[in-house]
Amino acid sequence: MNLEGLISFETAKLAEEKGFKKLCDFSYDEDGILTGNCEQSYNYVAPTQSLLQKWLREKYKIHIVVYVMENSDGNIYYDFGLKRIVNYLSDNSSKPMEFSTYEEALEVGLQEALKLI
């Protein structure tokens, strides 16, 4: 399995606090060390970003949208937005945040979505 798509330790702690309990192939211990065995006692499950994103979408109807943007210097960056089916939850303020990768933007979007629960 590609570890690149796993959520960060900070996001795993927040997801656990908000009720995410699905078994995954990996987990973090109390010190944030990634372990490959989720069958033993674990502290924080480490799902992929897409699995957590799906859980937020299905359970709480929160959709995380990652945008590809271009700044005034012509550099590409990423930003995110959080939406529900009916109403808009966050507009990320008037100045967009700039992330260098899609995954970084998605990770912060996941954290912000979890905080809304």
Side-chain angles (χ1 to χ4, degrees):
M1 175 180 213
N2 183 357
L3 299 179
E4 186 178 341
L6 297 179
I7 63 172
S8 70
F9 177 55
E10 292 77 20
T11 305
K13 289 193 302 187
L14 193 53
E16 179 92 4
E17 177 184 309
K18 301 300 182 170
F20 184 86
K21 302 264 188 226
K22 295 184 182 209
L23 279 181
C24 303
D25 293 333
F26 297 92
S27 64
Y28 290 102
D29 68 13
E30 193 64 41
D31 297 321
I33 305 299
L34 191 64
T35 159
N37 191 350
C38 217
E39 297 294 326
Q40 299 174 354
S41 64
Y42 63 87
N43 291 305
Y44 306 102
V45 294
T48 60
Q49 290 178 326
S50 60
L51 181 61
L52 184 58
Q53 185 178 22
K54 180 179 180 182
W55 180 76
L56 287 164
R57 189 173 56 248
E58 290 177 351
K59 185 166 175 79
Y60 294 101
K61 306 295 187 241
I62 298 173
H63 296 262
I64 302 165
V65 181
V66 176
Y67 303 101
V68 179
M69 313 282 279
E70 185 176 355
N71 64 20
S72 59
D73 296 333
N75 296 319
I76 300 295
Y77 67 95
Y78 300 87
D79 197 4
F80 69 91
L82 304 176
K83 297 182 180 184
R84 285 202 190 247
I85 291 174
V86 177
N87 46 342
Y88 201 89
L89 294 174
S90 173
D91 66 359
N92 297 328
S93 75
S94 57
K95 182 179 182 325
M97 299 172 76
E98 294 188 15
F99 300 97
S100 58
T101 68
Y102 179 96
E103 292 76 15
E104 288 174 6
L106 180 56
E107 185 76 19
V108 174
L110 289 167
Q111 292 173 359
E112 293 302 312
L114 287 165
K115 290 175 187 175
L116 293 173
I117 298 172

